[in-house]
């Protein structure tokens, strides 16, 4: 363990990663560089500076990555209408590649030979951090304290703090939540506590970002979202940057009780786990994106996208953002978004985000053909006979040869 | 056209298909057999008898197919969590194969050499009826009056009625809706009218099966759904037949404003069309089925199902229920459902159907492994290192050879 | 039929398309523009000029499209290792999009409002021509004489020639083959005649491009193929243009009895048909491309390509080259080829093209890791335990819950 | 390590697994049960008895599993036309699940709590053995000596033999091959030695099962293969059991130089490796199976099979035979094979296995429709126009809206 000289740590400023700073210094006898990012988790990042300094850290990186996060990670993912296992909008998964990338870039800048993170050995995040790190810097050393140390209970952790004079007020600042939480501009997640029983309903006071549908306003809110090439660029006519879009949609969604999710998901490491999520803005974005695609995207492209989406979601969930297969899929997805532009009108009401209108200059909806009224010859109904006859031919031949198709 | 001796017509008892009876008799100089089925559309089917008799029909089939419809078509489809283009629950599509099958069976019983239907030449239903018919009786003659006749406007149709003394009160019984509608136990659909402008919001009085979320009760309704092998067999502990399940869920869903959908979809015949749908029970079923699968179904089976689902949905939407590829997919899907049994608890509230609990004797959720607490060695966190290292190997080699993965 | 003013015809100079020239002039009373292309079919195209002139054609296009054909159509297709139904290298399918594109471009240049072709109503080529034409010029009128006229037998065709003084020596130039044939730089195909019995072996004298394996040299030929970004750019060190590469490989393959294929395939129009093909160069290219990918392409990209390939092949076979879904797939495929560069060494011998070596500066094959000898710690075998343990976890949980997996 | 009481070892009788017997006894102080199976590797298995006895083994299992191997593993796999990465017929992969199953069954019979195997920590076989074992007996202990011990060179291994009086003639019986080899009824494989350089051509004297194409007979051999439900049941009219079929095809193929393969493949553990394979019978079976499917299998089923095949191959290659996803895929595949019956005629000649004829009572090839001659109205060419028009509709609409599709 003596061969690590300098390690870059993903540092939240919280108790756990503060313990890790000390543990790394002590165990590896190495220098620690901390990296703290604002990706919209809703907490100040600047206080992490003083905490790191108090722990003897000399190189401290504190960055606002909100715009980059939404523009280069969240938006590309939403172009694919990405959902994991039919429900999960990948709020945690999509933040990890950016953190991994910055860890490696900082390692390169500071001459560090290792990176470290506070993810446990049971979860997906360790995988996402480390696959990203290895993909970007193949010789990097990764230190995952939770897989190595013996501080396996809260008691041992607290004892370690006391022993090493780590300010205990790290954890006193607010009442300790019974849940393990993670947040960024796309979502906040909850695991553990009573959620470990999949039959138990989440308690109302667990949810932090949204009011309950019951407590939401009795009047619906309407909102118009403008898309350009698959991405939202304006809300109600106001041009916004990607992270501003998401922040505003989070507010609108949260106020209307939108985006709560309670699921059991399959982790990459092989177990099922219960998680609750609030993704107010993402929930609105997803439906809106499907709606703008519904009038601007070709049918076969749309179906092909749908058939590739579960794979794409799996790739991201499992931590392979920085892989060639993700880039391959992204190339296909992005190719389809060139004309996905226009406006979607949505109604937000007590937990539901409903599409009520969509329009586009690139629309492929052709009223003159689709109409139930006289179409002036735009579509020849007699063509349908030949279409059906030839599509039926293989079925007819099979039936005529005695194949039982019933 | 003289070679048709007897034709079986899918007869609703409404004006259009009544005109078709007469038109067939006159144009083909053939006998007409009518077939009217109760598939849960919510209207009496028995009145069709007198109407058919009045048109001179001698062989009249009127049948209650509700149980068969849900058991053999709706339920198998829901095992796959089937959604077309991310939104549509295939309410119309799934009813057509049953109608096609009965048309052919009746043709065989009555010695008819042709079948006929009232679907237009622009829609999907003609395809679904005819592909089914050809697959089950390859030599059958199909007559699609809307593709053949010149009664291309309502005026001409009414003139034809007058000329042939078709009782005009067929259409007077209720105010003519501005929408083209279709209904069965799974859903009711609306097309045409102002919906032909995708930017126009549907009017509140269009919806027939559900109250608006705004008008739904202020208190949530909780319901427990019991699954066996992927199908719902009981509601709140009461054992029900498949069609009783769906009817009850339609009531529960409709009362709580659940299941409204407003989309633009891609028809198989090549155009985009706007449709509004109410699928109260189906919307609940879909989420509940995903929830019971989430604790009972293996991860890789679940992901494989998800990746096949868009294809399966397309096969059904396009009318290929009676095809070998549908049976091939069904075999795969059904293979996965053997242990998909248990109970899902849902909360219904003003338009939302939310899963709040799930339990099963076949559960694969293992609390002793998933826990954040001490797991007594059920899972060795150190295994994760090797897991990540080998999964990262190809990425590391690529990076070490200079591949830019950023 | 009076509304066509000028039509561009895909004109081979043969009897059938000469009859079409006359038939179009007479039936539509319109001007005919002929388009004849050299795509490597192995026959002179210049003689088509005099024939067209003799038929009164004033605008005559004769073009050498060989380079464009291989560079922009054949090569992109081979990047995907494309095979239809496990066997067919799509030699006919891939030539049609280029012809369709030129027909439309010439229509635009000459102010023509229609195009025409000599493909029958039973085959795939009509679909490929027409889908391409409609995709590139949506309002174009397509005239497919074989679906319209009554010249349905060779006798009627000959009578028409006599009646219209079409020089009969069109067909006397060489003994009429009993097969329907099509050729371009990628392949030559044979259909009809005794091949209509799938049990009958093709006669040796049918094959035109290759010697039989039995007649091929008793000594193998070795050849080295240099790839850049997925395409062959040199043979045995000599830099060649795409069409020169294919011509040379056709010669090498044909001399060694390589590339004969005898299959029953599924046409898009719904029937099965027997076809025999000679694709000497393509057969060599396909194996060589897989070989260079085997050392330069990432595993997951390769597997994803393999799973998309059948779809891509179907898209091309069915005539959707000029569709958004083809471009979407192409974007994914091309993204993977950036590092597919290097040299493949092949042995050609009596019908077999065998890979015997491959090397690349972009190789991901890492001998230091793969070796059975001591790897000096490049790979830690102990990592495999964790890798297996976590991959097995879901299987173990299922088994421990009593799932029978045997 | 003291907690293992009895371990079942996959025992070949060779030097390496003999060392493992001793090492297990010594290291774990446990009883060893040996299991040696004849799966067609071409060597006597009975001599393993005396060797095991000499090592103090009391429970010795020696079994002939050839029929079960081909019937329950090879045949089901070939129904899918399974090929890994476009080339590899999975000869090694498909034998492992059977060995794993028997190891577990014997563990259950003998009351053993562990299994062991002689596969290294770099390869796929460890994964295949262990995933199978865990899936069938989740609590089993797996001992993989090559990942644990320090006998990491041949010298150390020999020293261990001498020290423990393991008869050295184990290895003297025949000249030690420079290659790592594995064989069963489906194939023989070679790795290591000069093959570790992917540019180096394999030496002629490496190949053991086939003559070189150059040395094969100058006259072709014709053979007729009879299929029932996707499996070969007779050769040249002689009914044979599955393993007899494969043995005979190996002879026929090997005599004609068929089935040699030289590839670089992607291992599940993350590295690329060079392997050479001889699969004479399998190579013939694969082409023959595609040929019988070509006339008996529906087009869409065939295409769906092709698109699922890479996944199915990956599942088997990676060792997930005993997984729910393999069973799911198998259900789909088997569903398609009900009518895949008939006879295929093949020509074997100097390395090539060529299909020259196929016939079936279940044939879907309809000569009356496919013919170039007059089809007496079996197919109406005019239907093609409507078929094309509607398939083109989406492309035309897009083009008319200004989408550039070129």
């Amino acid at each position: 363990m003596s061969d690590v000289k300098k390690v870059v740590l993903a540092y939240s400023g919280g108790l756990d990663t503060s313990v890790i700073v000390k543990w790394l210094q002590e165990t590896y006898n190495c220098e620690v560089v901390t990296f703290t990012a604002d990706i919209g988790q809703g907490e100040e990042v600047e206080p992490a500076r003083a905490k790191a300094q108090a722990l003897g850290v000399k190189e401290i990186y504190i960055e606002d990555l909100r715009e980059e996060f939404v523009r280069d990670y969240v938006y590309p993912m939403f172009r694919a209408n990405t959902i994991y296992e039919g429900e999960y909008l990948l709020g945690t998964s999509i933040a990890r590649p950016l953190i991994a990338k910055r860890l490696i870039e900082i390692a390169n800048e500071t001459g560090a030979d290792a990176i470290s993170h506070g993810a446990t050995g049971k979860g997906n995040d360790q995988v996402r951090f480390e696959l990203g790190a290895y993909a970007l810097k193949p010789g990097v050393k990764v230190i995952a304290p939770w897989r190595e140390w013996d501080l396996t209970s809260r008691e041992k952790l607290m004892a370690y703090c006391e022993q090493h004079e780590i300010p205990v007020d790290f954890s006193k600042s607010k009442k300790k939540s019974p849940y393990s939480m993670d947040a960024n501009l796309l979502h906040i997640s909850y695991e553990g506590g009573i959620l470990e029983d999949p039959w138990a309903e989440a308690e109302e006071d667990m949810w932090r970002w949204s009011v309950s549908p019951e407590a939401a306003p009795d009047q619906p809110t309407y909102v118009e979202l403008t898309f350009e090439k698959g991405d939202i660029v304006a809300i109600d006519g106001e041009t916004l940057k990607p992270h501003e879009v998401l922040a505003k949609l989070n507010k609108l969604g949260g106020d209307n009780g939108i985006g709560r999710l309670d699921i059991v998901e399959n982790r990459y490491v092989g177990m099922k786990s219960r998680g609750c999520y609030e993704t107010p803005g993402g929930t609105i974005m997803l439906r809106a994106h499907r709606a703008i695609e519904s009038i601007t995207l070709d049918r076969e492209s749309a179906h092909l996208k749908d058939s590739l989406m579960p794979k794409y979601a799996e790739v991201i969930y499992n931590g392979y953002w920085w892989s060639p297969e993700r880039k391959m899929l992204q190339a296909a997805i992005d190719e389809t978004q060139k004309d996905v532009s226009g406006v979607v009108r949505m109604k937000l009401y007590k937990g539901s985000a409903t599409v009520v209108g969509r329009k586009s200059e690139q629309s492929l909806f052709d009223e003159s053909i689709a109409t139930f009224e006289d179409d002036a010859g735009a579509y020849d109904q007699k063509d349908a006979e030949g279409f059906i006859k030839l599509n039926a031919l293989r079925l007819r031949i099979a039936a005529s040869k005695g194949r039982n198709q019933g």
Side-chain angles (χ1 to χ4, degrees), chain A:
Chain A
M1 285 187 166
S2 59
D3 59 344
V4 173
K5 294 198 177 56
K6 191 188 280 190
V7 57
V8 185
L9 170 68
Y11 179 62
S12 72
L15 177 68
D16 289 7
T17 49
S18 293
V19 170
I20 290 176
V21 171
K22 184 60 69 183
W23 182 87
L24 287 168
Q25 292 166 335
E26 192 176 63
T27 310
Y28 286 87
N29 193 25
C30 67
E31 217 178 310
V32 175
V33 180
T34 58
F35 163 57
T36 310
D38 182 355
I39 49 170
Q41 62 268 50
E43 291 184 4
E44 293 296 310
V45 289
E46 195 49 41
R49 189 180 309 276
K51 294 179 183 176
Q53 283 168 335
L55 290 159
V57 175
K58 284 170 198 142
E59 291 172 290
I60 298 171
Y61 284 75
I62 295 182
E63 302 176 354
D64 181 352
L65 300 178
R66 290 175 300 162
E67 179 169 359
E68 182 179 359
F69 171 51
V70 180
R71 183 189 64 221
D72 295 345
Y73 300 81
V74 175
Y75 268 22
M77 181 173 79
F78 271 76
R79 286 176 210 143
N81 303 315
T82 316
I83 317 176
Y84 182 69
E85 299 186 342
E87 302 281 5
Y88 174 40
L89 297 185
L90 296 168
T92 300
S93 324
I94 193 61
R96 302 317 190 189
L98 171 56
I99 304 300
K101 188 188 73 147
R102 286 300 297 143
L103 284 172
I104 293 304
E105 288 170 347
I106 294 169
N108 290 338
E109 283 167 35
T110 60
D113 49 355
I115 63 139
S116 182
H117 61 75
T120 81
K122 282 189 172 181
N124 296 304
D125 288 330
Q126 58 175 340
V127 190
R128 296 166 186 152
F129 282 133
E130 298 178 27
L131 290 179
Y134 288 135
L136 298 169
K137 189 180 172 77
V140 75
K141 163 91 180 163
V142 175
I143 304 173
W146 286 100
R147 296 200 305 254
E148 289 188 27
W149 68 22
D150 57 356
L151 306 178
T152 51
S153 68
R154 194 113 304 245
E155 291 69 35
K156 290 183 188 170
L157 213 62
M158 297 308 288
Y160 188 92
C161 290
E162 199 165 341
Q163 183 187 346
H164 294 81
E165 299 183 353
I166 298 171
V168 193
D169 59 322
F170 272 113
S171 62
K172 279 187 182 165
S173 58
K174 56 176 176 284
K175 182 170 162 293
K176 173 74 183 150
S177 163
Y179 305 104
S180 171
M181 292 186 292
D182 177 69
N184 58 52
L185 255 175
L186 182 53
H187 90 347
I188 180 167
S189 68
Y190 312 88
E191 296 181 303
I194 66 158
L195 300 179
E196 293 191 358
D197 172 8
W199 183 247
E201 184 172 358
E203 296 163 316
E204 180 53 37
D205 68 359
M206 175 191 78
W207 307 98
R208 299 195 169 196
W209 279 21
S210 62
V211 301
S212 74
E214 290 90 331
D218 288 330
Q219 296 303 319
T221 302
Y222 284 83
V223 62
E224 290 186 15
L225 306 174
T226 303
F227 284 85
E228 266 179 31
K229 300 185 189 306
D231 299 334
I232 300 181
V233 296
I235 298 180
D236 288 332
E238 183 191 3
T239 300
L240 296 170
K241 291 183 178 173
H243 64 297
E244 296 168 341
V245 165
L246 193 44
K248 181 150 191 181
L249 291 180
N250 280 336
K251 179 75 172 66
L252 285 167
D255 285 350
N256 285 287
I258 288 166
R260 291 184 176 187
L261 186 65
D262 174 346
I263 58 170
V264 174
E265 74 198 53
N266 290 292
R267 285 195 192 148
Y268 188 30
V269 293
M271 71 188 68
K272 290 180 181 291
S273 77
R274 167 84 170 285
C276 289
Y277 302 96
E278 286 170 290
T279 323
T283 301
I284 298 169
M285 283 215 302
L286 176 67
R287 295 211 95 161
H289 187 262
R290 277 215 172 266
I292 192 63
E293 283 194 340
S294 78
I295 55 168
T296 58
L297 190 58
D298 168 73
R299 181 186 72 200
E300 294 302 308
S301 300
H303 291 198
L304 188 48
K305 279 188 72 201
D306 281 351
S307 73
L308 291 176
M309 185 276 281
K311 173 72 181 176
Y312 180 77
E314 187 183 88
V315 162
I316 294 175
Y317 184 88
N318 288 354
Y320 292 94
W321 180 268
W322 299 112
S323 71
E325 64 269 27
R326 205 275 307 171
K327 289 164 73 179
M328 181 184 171
L329 288 164
Q330 196 72 55
I333 293 159
D334 289 354
E335 166 69 29
T336 66
Q337 300 293 294
K338 287 177 303 192
D339 296 296
V340 179
S341 303
V343 182
V344 174
R345 187 158 173 264
M346 300 198 71
K347 174 186 170 187
L348 314 179
Y349 177 69
K350 283 188 177 288
S352 299
T354 313
V355 174
V356 294
R358 64 299 271 165
K359 64 181 177 186
S360 170
E361 292 181 10
Q362 278 75 44
S363 177
L364 299 174
F365 180 91
D366 189 323
E367 195 169 333
S368 68
I369 287 179
T371 185
F372 276 82
E373 313 299 320
D374 190 338
D375 66 4
Y379 176 99
D380 186 348
Q381 299 206 20
K382 287 191 177 51
D383 286 339
E385 185 183 335
F387 178 75
I388 296 169
K389 279 277 184 65
L390 292 206
N391 278 316
L393 186 55
R394 65 185 173 95
L395 305 173
R396 294 177 82 179
I397 293 172
S400 72
K401 305 278 178 175
R403 296 275 175 98
N404 173 15
Q405 315 202 19

